[in-house]
Amino acid sequence: MPLDVPAIRSEFPIFRRTINGKRLVYLDSAASSQKPQAVIDAMVHVWSHSYANVHRGLYTLAEEATMAYEDARAKVARFVNASDVAEVINVRNATEGINLVAYSWGEQHVHAGDRIVITELEHHANLVPWQQLAKRKGAKLAYIPVTDDGLLDITVLPGLLDDGRTKVVACSVMSNVLGTLPPVVEIAAMAHAAGALVVMDGAQAAPHMPIDVQSIGADFLAFSGHKLCGPGVGVLWGRRELLEAMPPFLFGGDMILTVKREDSKWNALPYKFEAGTPAIAEVVGLGAAIDYLTGIGMPAIQEHERRLLPYAIARLSEIPELRVLGPGPAERGAVVSFTLEGVHPHDIGALLDEEGICVRAGHHCAQPIHDRFCIPASARASFYIYNDENDVDDLVAALRKTVSLLARR
Ligand code: 7TS
Protein backbone atom coordinates (compact mmCIF):
# COMPACT_ATOMS: atom_id res chain seq x y z
CA MET A 1 0.00 0.00 0.00
CA PRO A 2 1.46 3.37 -0.99
CA LEU A 3 1.65 5.93 1.78
CA ASP A 4 -1.18 8.43 2.01
CA VAL A 5 1.11 11.46 1.97
CA PRO A 6 -1.61 14.14 2.30
CA ALA A 7 -2.96 12.31 5.38
CA ILE A 8 0.54 12.05 6.84
CA ARG A 9 1.24 15.73 6.17
CA SER A 10 -1.96 16.65 7.99
CA GLU A 11 -0.55 15.00 11.13
CA PHE A 12 2.46 17.37 11.16
CA PRO A 13 1.38 20.82 12.41
CA ILE A 14 4.35 22.51 10.77
CA PHE A 15 2.90 21.87 7.31
CA ARG A 16 0.05 24.27 8.15
CA ARG A 17 2.41 27.21 7.90
CA THR A 18 3.82 28.88 4.83
CA ILE A 19 7.35 30.07 4.17
CA ASN A 20 7.77 33.38 2.36
CA GLY A 21 4.13 33.09 1.34
CA LYS A 22 4.73 29.70 -0.27
CA ARG A 23 3.72 26.14 0.59
CA LEU A 24 6.37 24.57 2.85
CA VAL A 25 8.42 22.01 0.93
CA TYR A 26 10.62 20.40 3.55
CA LEU A 27 13.52 18.55 1.94
CA ASP A 28 15.98 18.51 4.82
CA SER A 29 14.94 15.48 6.85
CA ALA A 30 18.47 14.08 6.66
CA ALA A 31 19.46 16.97 8.94
CA SER A 32 16.39 16.64 11.16
CA SER A 33 12.85 15.48 10.52
CA GLN A 34 9.60 17.27 11.35
CA LYS A 35 7.43 16.10 14.25
CA PRO A 36 3.90 14.68 14.14
CA GLN A 37 1.30 15.85 16.65
CA ALA A 38 1.44 12.45 18.40
CA VAL A 39 5.06 13.05 19.38
CA ILE A 40 4.42 16.62 20.50
CA ASP A 41 1.41 15.41 22.53
CA ALA A 42 3.39 12.62 24.19
CA MET A 43 5.99 15.09 25.42
CA VAL A 44 3.43 17.64 26.56
CA HIS A 45 1.63 14.83 28.40
CA VAL A 46 4.78 13.95 30.33
CA TRP A 47 5.40 17.56 31.31
CA SER A 48 1.79 18.34 32.16
CA HIS A 49 0.74 15.05 33.71
CA SER A 50 3.50 12.63 34.73
CA TYR A 51 6.69 14.58 35.19
CA ALA A 52 9.27 13.82 37.87
CA ASN A 53 12.82 12.59 37.83
CA VAL A 54 13.23 8.91 36.98
CA HIS A 55 14.70 5.96 38.92
CA ARG A 56 14.65 7.86 42.22
CA GLY A 57 11.35 8.71 43.79
CA LEU A 58 8.95 6.34 45.47
CA TYR A 59 5.93 8.57 44.88
CA THR A 60 3.29 8.08 42.17
CA LEU A 61 4.53 10.76 39.77
CA ALA A 62 8.10 9.47 39.90
CA GLU A 63 6.90 5.94 39.30
CA GLU A 64 4.76 7.04 36.34
CA ALA A 65 7.67 8.98 34.84
CA THR A 66 10.01 6.01 35.31
CA MET A 67 7.50 3.64 33.74
CA ALA A 68 7.01 5.90 30.73
CA TYR A 69 10.78 6.31 30.34
CA GLU A 70 11.46 2.57 30.55
CA ASP A 71 8.48 1.76 28.34
CA ALA A 72 10.08 3.94 25.66
CA ARG A 73 13.34 2.02 26.01
CA ALA A 74 11.42 -1.21 25.40
CA LYS A 75 9.89 0.33 22.25
CA VAL A 76 13.37 1.21 20.98
CA ALA A 77 14.55 -2.34 21.72
CA ARG A 78 11.65 -3.76 19.68
CA PHE A 79 12.25 -1.19 16.90
CA VAL A 80 15.78 -2.52 16.29
CA ASN A 81 14.93 -6.10 17.36
CA ALA A 82 17.36 -6.10 20.30
CA SER A 83 17.13 -9.34 22.26
CA ASP A 84 17.75 -7.51 25.52
CA VAL A 85 16.29 -4.14 26.60
CA ALA A 86 19.42 -3.49 28.71
CA GLU A 87 21.39 -3.21 25.46
CA VAL A 88 19.60 0.06 24.65
CA ILE A 89 21.34 3.13 26.04
CA ASN A 90 19.77 6.56 25.87
CA VAL A 91 22.24 9.20 24.79
CA ARG A 92 21.96 12.75 23.45
CA ASN A 93 22.35 11.83 19.79
CA ALA A 94 24.18 9.49 17.40
CA THR A 95 27.32 11.57 17.85
CA GLU A 96 27.38 10.93 21.59
CA GLY A 97 26.71 7.21 21.04
CA ILE A 98 29.73 6.85 18.76
CA ASN A 99 31.92 8.93 21.10
CA LEU A 100 30.84 6.67 23.96
CA VAL A 101 32.17 3.62 22.09
CA ALA A 102 35.33 5.37 20.91
CA TYR A 103 36.17 6.40 24.48
CA SER A 104 34.89 3.56 26.59
CA TRP A 105 35.72 0.61 24.33
CA GLY A 106 38.40 2.34 22.27
CA GLU A 107 40.58 3.49 25.16
CA GLN A 108 40.70 -0.09 26.48
CA HIS A 109 41.20 -2.00 23.27
CA VAL A 110 43.03 0.15 20.73
CA HIS A 111 46.80 0.35 21.14
CA ALA A 112 49.83 1.76 19.32
CA GLY A 113 50.26 0.11 15.93
CA ASP A 114 46.64 -1.09 15.76
CA ARG A 115 44.39 -0.07 12.92
CA ILE A 116 40.95 1.52 12.84
CA VAL A 117 39.08 1.21 9.55
CA ILE A 118 36.42 3.72 8.53
CA THR A 119 35.13 4.79 5.12
CA GLU A 120 35.51 7.85 2.95
CA LEU A 121 31.80 8.59 3.14
CA GLU A 122 31.44 8.96 6.90
CA HIS A 123 29.73 11.87 8.59
CA HIS A 124 32.21 13.64 10.89
CA ALA A 125 30.41 11.98 13.83
CA ASN A 126 31.71 8.58 12.71
CA LEU A 127 35.08 9.92 11.63
CA VAL A 128 36.53 12.41 14.09
CA PRO A 129 36.04 10.22 17.22
CA TRP A 130 38.06 7.46 15.48
CA GLN A 131 40.62 9.85 14.06
CA GLN A 132 41.23 11.31 17.50
CA LEU A 133 41.33 7.89 19.17
CA ALA A 134 43.95 6.82 16.62
CA LYS A 135 45.97 9.97 17.40
CA ARG A 136 45.77 9.44 21.15
CA LYS A 137 46.85 5.83 20.83
CA GLY A 138 49.34 5.98 17.98
CA ALA A 139 47.05 3.72 15.97
CA LYS A 140 46.57 3.92 12.20
CA LEU A 141 43.38 5.18 10.60
CA ALA A 142 42.57 3.55 7.24
CA TYR A 143 39.76 4.50 4.87
CA ILE A 144 37.72 2.21 2.64
CA PRO A 145 37.66 4.32 -0.54
CA VAL A 146 34.62 5.40 -2.52
CA THR A 147 34.45 4.69 -6.27
CA ASP A 148 33.61 7.31 -8.89
CA ASP A 149 30.07 5.90 -8.77
CA GLY A 150 29.78 6.69 -5.07
CA LEU A 151 29.99 3.07 -3.91
CA LEU A 152 32.41 1.64 -1.36
CA ASP A 153 35.34 -0.23 -2.85
CA ILE A 154 35.41 -3.08 -0.35
CA THR A 155 37.98 -5.02 -2.39
CA VAL A 156 40.58 -3.19 -0.26
CA LEU A 157 39.11 -4.54 2.98
CA PRO A 158 40.83 -7.96 3.07
CA GLY A 159 44.18 -6.18 2.73
CA LEU A 160 43.30 -4.00 5.74
CA LEU A 161 42.22 -6.97 7.83
CA ASP A 162 44.65 -9.77 7.08
CA ASP A 163 47.45 -8.74 9.48
CA GLY A 164 45.08 -8.99 12.45
CA ARG A 165 45.89 -5.43 13.60
CA THR A 166 42.49 -3.94 12.78
CA LYS A 167 40.53 -3.57 16.01
CA VAL A 168 37.43 -1.86 14.75
CA VAL A 169 35.61 -1.19 11.50
CA ALA A 170 33.21 1.76 11.67
CA CYS A 171 30.78 2.25 8.83
CA SER A 172 27.64 4.18 8.06
CA VAL A 173 24.57 2.12 7.14
CA MET A 174 23.55 4.94 4.81
CA SER A 175 25.55 7.97 3.66
CA ASN A 176 24.07 11.37 4.45
CA VAL A 177 25.60 12.88 1.30
CA LEU A 178 25.51 10.23 -1.44
CA GLY A 179 22.70 8.13 0.00
CA THR A 180 24.95 5.10 -0.57
CA LEU A 181 23.89 1.92 1.21
CA PRO A 182 27.18 0.12 1.85
CA PRO A 183 27.11 -3.70 2.04
CA VAL A 184 27.29 -3.54 5.83
CA VAL A 185 26.41 -7.19 6.44
CA GLU A 186 29.27 -8.30 4.19
CA ILE A 187 31.66 -5.77 5.74
CA ALA A 188 30.72 -6.96 9.23
CA ALA A 189 31.27 -10.61 8.33
CA MET A 190 34.74 -9.81 6.97
CA ALA A 191 35.62 -7.69 10.00
CA HIS A 192 34.43 -10.32 12.47
CA ALA A 193 36.35 -13.07 10.69
CA ALA A 194 39.48 -10.97 11.28
CA GLY A 195 38.63 -10.40 14.96
CA ALA A 196 37.60 -6.74 14.55
CA LEU A 197 34.56 -5.13 16.11
CA VAL A 198 31.93 -3.42 13.97
CA VAL A 199 30.41 -0.04 14.82
CA MET A 200 27.56 1.08 12.61
CA ASP A 201 26.30 4.61 12.24
CA GLY A 202 22.57 4.18 11.75
CA ALA A 203 21.69 7.89 11.90
CA GLN A 204 20.46 7.99 8.29
CA ALA A 205 19.30 4.40 8.03
CA ALA A 206 17.15 3.99 11.15
CA PRO A 207 14.48 6.53 10.07
CA HIS A 208 14.04 4.99 6.65
CA MET A 209 14.27 1.18 6.76
CA PRO A 210 13.76 -1.72 9.13
CA ILE A 211 16.87 -2.34 11.22
CA ASP A 212 17.51 -5.67 12.90
CA VAL A 213 20.54 -5.57 15.16
CA GLN A 214 20.51 -9.35 15.39
CA SER A 215 21.09 -9.80 11.67
CA ILE A 216 22.87 -6.64 10.49
CA GLY A 217 26.19 -7.73 11.99
CA ALA A 218 26.86 -4.70 14.18
CA ASP A 219 28.43 -4.87 17.63
CA PHE A 220 27.31 -1.29 18.22
CA LEU A 221 24.73 0.79 16.37
CA ALA A 222 24.07 4.48 17.02
CA PHE A 223 21.19 6.60 15.78
CA SER A 224 19.32 9.82 16.54
CA GLY A 225 15.68 10.26 17.51
CA HIS A 226 15.35 13.68 15.92
CA LYS A 227 15.80 12.28 12.41
CA LEU A 228 12.96 9.80 12.87
CA CYS A 229 10.15 12.16 13.84
CA GLY A 230 11.25 12.24 17.48
CA PRO A 231 12.89 14.86 19.67
CA GLY A 232 16.57 15.50 20.37
CA VAL A 233 17.70 12.23 21.90
CA GLY A 234 19.81 9.41 20.58
CA VAL A 235 20.30 5.71 21.06
CA LEU A 236 23.32 3.51 21.35
CA TRP A 237 22.62 -0.18 21.02
CA GLY A 238 25.50 -2.50 21.90
CA ARG A 239 26.01 -6.21 22.44
CA ARG A 240 25.52 -6.99 26.12
CA GLU A 241 28.81 -8.78 26.75
CA LEU A 242 30.75 -5.87 25.24
CA LEU A 243 28.83 -3.26 27.23
CA GLU A 244 29.25 -5.31 30.42
CA ALA A 245 33.02 -5.30 30.00
CA MET A 246 33.30 -1.58 29.19
CA PRO A 247 33.97 1.14 31.75
CA PRO A 248 31.46 4.01 32.07
CA PHE A 249 31.92 6.94 29.73
CA LEU A 250 30.47 9.56 32.11
CA PHE A 251 30.34 9.45 35.89
CA GLY A 252 27.80 10.76 38.38
CA GLY A 253 24.31 9.97 39.59
CA ASP A 254 22.19 7.06 38.38
CA MET A 255 25.14 5.17 36.87
CA ILE A 256 26.34 4.23 40.30
CA LEU A 257 25.62 1.37 42.72
CA THR A 258 27.71 2.42 45.71
CA VAL A 259 30.10 5.29 46.26
CA LYS A 260 32.74 5.27 48.96
CA ARG A 261 35.28 7.99 49.54
CA GLU A 262 38.00 6.20 47.61
CA ASP A 263 36.10 4.09 45.05
CA SER A 264 32.74 3.34 43.47
CA LYS A 265 30.79 0.47 41.97
CA TRP A 266 28.83 0.86 38.77
CA ASN A 267 25.15 0.26 38.25
CA ALA A 268 23.88 -2.53 35.97
CA LEU A 269 23.21 -2.03 32.26
CA PRO A 270 21.89 0.14 30.77
CA TYR A 271 22.13 2.62 33.66
CA LYS A 272 25.91 2.31 33.84
CA PHE A 273 26.01 4.42 30.68
CA GLU A 274 23.28 6.92 31.62
CA ALA A 275 24.95 9.27 34.07
CA GLY A 276 22.82 12.10 35.42
CA THR A 277 19.20 13.00 34.78
CA PRO A 278 18.26 11.89 31.28
CA ALA A 279 16.09 13.75 28.78
CA ILE A 280 12.92 12.23 30.23
CA ALA A 281 10.16 13.72 28.08
CA GLU A 282 12.36 13.43 25.01
CA VAL A 283 12.90 9.71 25.54
CA VAL A 284 9.13 9.28 25.93
CA GLY A 285 8.74 11.33 22.74
CA LEU A 286 11.12 8.97 20.98
CA GLY A 287 8.90 6.08 22.04
CA ALA A 288 5.90 7.91 20.55
CA ALA A 289 7.86 8.54 17.32
CA ILE A 290 8.62 4.84 17.09
CA ASP A 291 4.93 4.04 17.63
CA TYR A 292 4.08 6.52 14.90
CA LEU A 293 6.58 5.10 12.39
CA THR A 294 5.76 1.48 13.13
CA GLY A 295 2.07 2.39 12.78
CA ILE A 296 2.85 3.42 9.19
CA GLY A 297 5.24 0.47 8.86
CA MET A 298 8.98 0.67 8.25
CA PRO A 299 8.75 -1.55 5.13
CA ALA A 300 6.05 0.78 3.75
CA ILE A 301 8.26 3.82 4.48
CA GLN A 302 11.18 2.18 2.69
CA GLU A 303 8.94 1.31 -0.25
CA HIS A 304 7.59 4.88 -0.46
CA GLU A 305 11.10 6.30 -0.66
CA ARG A 306 12.21 3.65 -3.15
CA ARG A 307 9.41 4.89 -5.42
CA LEU A 308 10.01 8.59 -4.87
CA LEU A 309 13.80 8.51 -5.25
CA PRO A 310 14.03 7.42 -8.94
CA TYR A 311 11.41 10.06 -9.76
CA ALA A 312 13.46 12.73 -7.97
CA ILE A 313 16.72 11.71 -9.65
CA ALA A 314 15.08 11.53 -13.09
CA ARG A 315 13.39 14.93 -12.72
CA LEU A 316 16.53 16.62 -11.34
CA SER A 317 18.57 15.13 -14.17
CA GLU A 318 16.38 16.99 -16.67
CA ILE A 319 18.26 20.16 -15.68
CA PRO A 320 21.35 20.19 -17.91
CA GLU A 321 23.46 22.23 -15.48
CA LEU A 322 22.74 19.87 -12.57
CA ARG A 323 25.00 17.00 -11.49
CA VAL A 324 23.67 14.41 -9.04
CA LEU A 325 26.34 12.94 -6.75
CA GLY A 326 26.42 9.29 -5.83
CA PRO A 327 25.10 5.99 -7.11
CA GLY A 328 21.93 5.20 -9.06
CA PRO A 329 18.56 4.90 -7.32
CA ALA A 330 18.81 1.13 -6.80
CA GLU A 331 21.85 1.49 -4.57
CA ARG A 332 20.95 4.43 -2.37
CA GLY A 333 18.52 5.88 0.11
CA ALA A 334 16.37 8.97 -0.39
CA VAL A 335 19.07 11.61 -0.16
CA VAL A 336 20.09 13.50 -3.29
CA SER A 337 23.08 15.82 -3.19
CA PHE A 338 23.82 17.82 -6.29
CA THR A 339 25.76 20.69 -7.75
CA LEU A 340 24.52 23.27 -10.21
CA GLU A 341 27.10 24.52 -12.67
CA GLY A 342 28.18 28.07 -11.88
CA VAL A 343 25.96 28.42 -8.79
CA HIS A 344 27.31 28.17 -5.25
CA PRO A 345 25.29 25.71 -3.13
CA HIS A 346 24.64 28.45 -0.57
CA ASP A 347 22.99 30.54 -3.29
CA ILE A 348 20.89 27.53 -4.29
CA GLY A 349 19.77 27.20 -0.65
CA ALA A 350 18.92 30.90 -0.35
CA LEU A 351 17.01 31.06 -3.66
CA LEU A 352 15.05 27.89 -2.89
CA ASP A 353 14.13 29.35 0.50
CA GLU A 354 12.39 32.21 -1.30
CA GLU A 355 10.17 29.53 -2.85
CA GLY A 356 9.40 27.90 0.52
CA ILE A 357 11.79 25.01 -0.17
CA CYS A 358 14.18 23.82 2.55
CA VAL A 359 17.35 22.06 1.42
CA ARG A 360 20.73 21.87 3.06
CA ALA A 361 23.75 23.48 1.41
CA GLY A 362 27.36 23.00 2.45
CA HIS A 363 29.50 19.98 3.21
CA HIS A 364 26.80 18.31 5.36
CA CYS A 365 29.40 17.52 8.05
CA ALA A 366 31.13 15.16 5.63
CA GLN A 367 34.13 17.00 4.20
CA PRO A 368 36.25 14.01 3.11
CA ILE A 369 33.58 12.75 0.72
CA HIS A 370 33.32 16.22 -0.84
CA ASP A 371 37.13 16.29 -1.15
CA ARG A 372 36.91 12.87 -2.83
CA PHE A 373 34.77 14.42 -5.57
CA CYS A 374 36.87 17.60 -5.63
CA ILE A 375 34.01 19.89 -4.62
CA PRO A 376 33.88 22.13 -1.55
CA ALA A 377 30.14 21.81 -1.04
CA SER A 378 26.85 20.60 -2.50
CA ALA A 379 23.13 21.19 -2.15
CA ARG A 380 21.09 18.32 -0.75
CA ALA A 381 17.43 17.38 -0.96
CA SER A 382 16.40 14.60 1.40
CA PHE A 383 13.01 12.92 1.46
CA TYR A 384 10.76 11.36 4.06
CA ILE A 385 7.23 10.12 4.69
CA TYR A 386 5.66 13.56 4.18
CA ASN A 387 7.27 14.19 0.78
CA ASP A 388 5.83 13.25 -2.59
CA GLU A 389 6.16 13.99 -6.30
CA ASN A 390 4.68 17.49 -5.80
CA ASP A 391 7.67 18.39 -3.64
CA VAL A 392 10.05 17.11 -6.31
CA ASP A 393 8.20 19.08 -8.99
CA ASP A 394 8.34 22.27 -6.92
CA LEU A 395 12.06 21.72 -6.31
CA VAL A 396 12.78 21.21 -10.00
CA ALA A 397 10.72 24.26 -11.01
CA ALA A 398 12.54 26.42 -8.43
CA LEU A 399 15.93 25.13 -9.57
CA ARG A 400 15.06 25.98 -13.18
CA LYS A 401 14.11 29.46 -12.04
CA THR A 402 17.44 29.70 -10.17
CA VAL A 403 19.37 28.71 -13.29
CA SER A 404 17.57 31.20 -15.54
CA LEU A 405 17.85 33.98 -12.96
CA LEU A 406 21.58 33.51 -12.53
CA ALA A 407 22.18 33.05 -16.25
CA ARG A 408 20.55 36.47 -16.86
CA ARG A 409 22.86 38.19 -14.34
N1 7TS B 1 25.83 10.12 11.20
C1 7TS B 1 25.21 10.45 10.07
C2 7TS B 1 25.28 9.53 8.90
C3 7TS B 1 24.48 11.64 10.01
O1 7TS B 1 23.87 11.97 8.87
C4 7TS B 1 24.44 12.48 11.14
C5 7TS B 1 23.73 13.80 11.12
C6 7TS B 1 25.08 12.07 12.29
C7 7TS B 1 25.77 10.89 12.29
C8 7TS B 1 25.06 12.87 13.55
O2 7TS B 1 23.78 12.93 14.07
P1 7TS B 1 23.53 13.81 15.37
O3 7TS B 1 22.08 13.63 15.66
O4 7TS B 1 24.42 13.27 16.41
O5 7TS B 1 23.88 15.21 14.98
N2 7TS B 1 23.59 14.37 9.85
C9 7TS B 1 23.25 15.61 9.55
C10 7TS B 1 23.15 16.06 8.25
O6 7TS B 1 23.34 15.37 7.26
N3 7TS B 1 22.78 17.36 8.27
O7 7TS B 1 22.66 17.75 9.54
C11 7TS B 1 22.95 16.68 10.36
Side-chain angles (χ1 to χ4, degrees), residues 107-347:
E107 283 294 326
Q108 270 193 333
H109 294 276
V110 175
H111 305 292
D114 286 344
R115 190 185 296 108
I116 297 169
V117 174
I118 60 171
T119 88
E120 250 178 356
L121 50 69
E122 297 312 313
H123 184 280
H124 297 162
N126 199 30
L127 189 164
V128 187
W130 304 116
Q131 176 194 68
Q132 295 303 307
L133 173 66
K135 279 180 103 132
R136 288 197 300 278
K137 295 294 189 157
K140 295 189 206 84
L141 184 68
Y143 286 79
I144 302 176
V146 168
T147 66
D148 290 343
D149 298 334
L151 299 171
L152 279 191
D153 177 10
I154 62 163
T155 59
V156 304
L157 194 51
L160 294 171
L161 293 170
D162 64 8
D163 62 0
R165 292 309 303 261
T166 295
K167 287 292 173 69
V168 55
V169 176
C171 181
S172 177
V173 186
M174 174 177 153
S175 158
N176 70 319
V177 177
L178 307 178
T180 310
L181 300 164
V184 284
V185 176
E186 200 181 333
I187 290 170
M190 290 162 86
H192 285 149
L197 230 67
V198 176
V199 179
M200 291 191 195
D201 176 353
Q204 292 298 336
H208 302 282
M209 61 192 77
I211 298 274
D212 181 341
V213 291
Q214 295 187 53
S215 64
I216 201 169
D219 296 295
F220 296 98
L221 174 92
F223 59 96
S224 292
H226 69 91
K227 292 188 204 284
L228 47 81
C229 296
V233 279
V235 173
L236 175 70
W237 168 85
R239 278 205 292 123
R240 185 176 194 121
E241 55 276 29
L242 294 168
L243 293 170
E244 295 275 15
M246 282 157 53
F249 171 45
L250 300 170
F251 301 91
D254 229 23
M255 52 75 63
I256 222 92
L257 208 56
T258 53
V259 179
K260 299 292 177 202
R261 288 170 72 107
E262 308 302 339
D263 208 359
S264 302
K265 284 200 169 63
W266 317 135
N267 204 341
L269 289 178
Y271 314 110
K272 181 171 85 172
F273 291 107
E274 293 184 6
T277 299
I280 299 161
E282 287 81 354
V283 168
V284 175
L286 172 60
I290 285 173
D291 283 344
Y292 181 78
L293 291 180
T294 49
I296 296 171
M298 293 309 293
I301 292 171
Q302 188 177 31
E303 208 35 55
H304 168 71
E305 294 175 9
R306 277 191 182 146
R307 257 197 299 267
L308 188 56
L309 180 68
Y311 181 77
I313 291 183
R315 290 272 3 245
L316 285 166
S317 304
E318 289 168 9
I319 302 172
E321 296 82 0
L322 190 146
R323 174 181 159 223
V324 171
L325 304 174
E331 289 163 310
R332 69 194 292 164
V335 159
V336 186
S337 294
F338 57 90
T339 54
L340 209 48
E341 208 180 296
V343 188
H344 193 280
H346 286 163
D347 293 333

